[in-house]
Amino acid sequence: MDIGNADSWGAAIYFWLIPLVLADAVFPLVPSEMVVITGGALSADGRASVFLVGLVAAISSWVGDVVVFQLFKRRLSHVLDRWPWGRKLHQGMHRAIEKAGRSSTYGAIIGVRFIPGGRLATSAAAGIADVTTRSFNLCAGIGAVLWAAWLVGLGYFTGTATGLPFWASSLIGVAVGLVIGAIVGMIATRRRGSRSPVEEPETDPSPS
């Protein structure tokens, strides 16, 4: 694949979207936002379908959130501790949740995904807080659509407004998204607790 060739990216963007957006639900450092913005920029260049890019991104985001939610709702996160890579992943989840906060309200499920680590934090917190599956699925779906529309629209707008190659428009879109995300993050986390909601309760060593 020629990374500088718009035709190559236009044909492959949908296949990049699915695994990266899914993985971003668990690994916040995965650059899913950049790929979605790139899809928007390619759409502005006529190399991809803006509707299809948004649809694939939204569905992948929703599925990833539901997987994390169910993992914590069913108290299965301890399964990760059976393997060294799983323990590292579990610790990374704690760090992301502590950084993004611990709100499990419906508004947070929809809105906190726009800050780094927000998807993981709210999905895990909602699972621990026993938010109903139906309510979470609905809020996560709304949030996924808004998240995808924002990022695709950002890429499409920068691509249309600048007229630059898709990769340059993507970089501009990512820079704008990071600045806005940082502002939103400072506002959203200013009054929120930092203690992880997924800390395991201490077991009483004394006999019952």
Side-chain angles (χ1 to χ4, degrees):
M1 178 179 175
D2 184 357
I3 61 174
N5 189 309
D7 289 327
S8 297
W9 273 97
I13 189 65
Y14 308 109
F15 299 100
W16 282 103
L17 281 169
I18 296 173
L20 290 179
V21 175
L22 283 173
D24 185 36
V26 178
F27 302 98
L29 294 180
V30 173
S32 65
E33 289 87 354
M34 184 172 184
V35 177
V36 180
I37 291 173
T38 298
L42 287 168
S43 301
D45 199 32
R47 308 290 181 174
S49 166
V50 65
F51 174 78
L52 190 55
V53 168
L55 180 64
V56 171
I59 292 176
S60 300
S61 175
W62 180 79
V63 171
D65 293 346
V66 169
V67 169
V68 173
F69 170 73
Q70 291 295 338
L71 181 69
F72 283 91
K73 185 177 181 64
R74 299 178 184 279
R75 307 297 190 268
L76 297 177
S77 58
H78 66 279
V79 175
L80 297 172
D81 296 332
R82 296 180 180 179
W83 303 277
W85 64 266
R87 288 191 291 271
K88 291 181 180 180
L89 175 58
H90 201 173
Q91 292 169 0
M93 288 180 171
H94 279 268
R95 288 193 295 269
I97 294 166
E98 290 170 357
K99 182 177 180 180
R102 54 179 178 148
S103 175
S104 61
T105 64
Y106 299 142
I109 295 170
I110 295 173
V112 179
R113 70 185 56 247
F114 291 91
I115 68 175
R119 287 178 61 198
L120 170 60
T122 53
S123 298
I128 293 297
D130 283 328
V131 172
T132 64
T133 298
R134 181 177 179 180
S135 296
F136 178 84
N137 288 347
L138 176 60
C139 291
I142 294 172
V145 170
L146 294 176
W147 178 82
W150 156 245
L151 294 177
V152 174
L154 187 58
Y156 188 89
F157 175 78
T158 54
T160 303
T162 63
L164 296 172
F166 80 97
W167 57 267
S169 298
S170 299
L171 292 177
I172 294 173
V174 169
V176 173
L178 287 174
V179 171
I180 295 177
I183 295 172
V184 172
M186 288 188 292
I187 295 173
T189 60
R190 179 175 298 174
R191 295 184 178 180
R192 295 168 64 197
S194 61
R195 180 175 177 271
S196 172
V198 297
E199 291 180 359
E200 301 293 341
E202 295 184 1
T203 56
D204 186 358
S206 60
S208 55

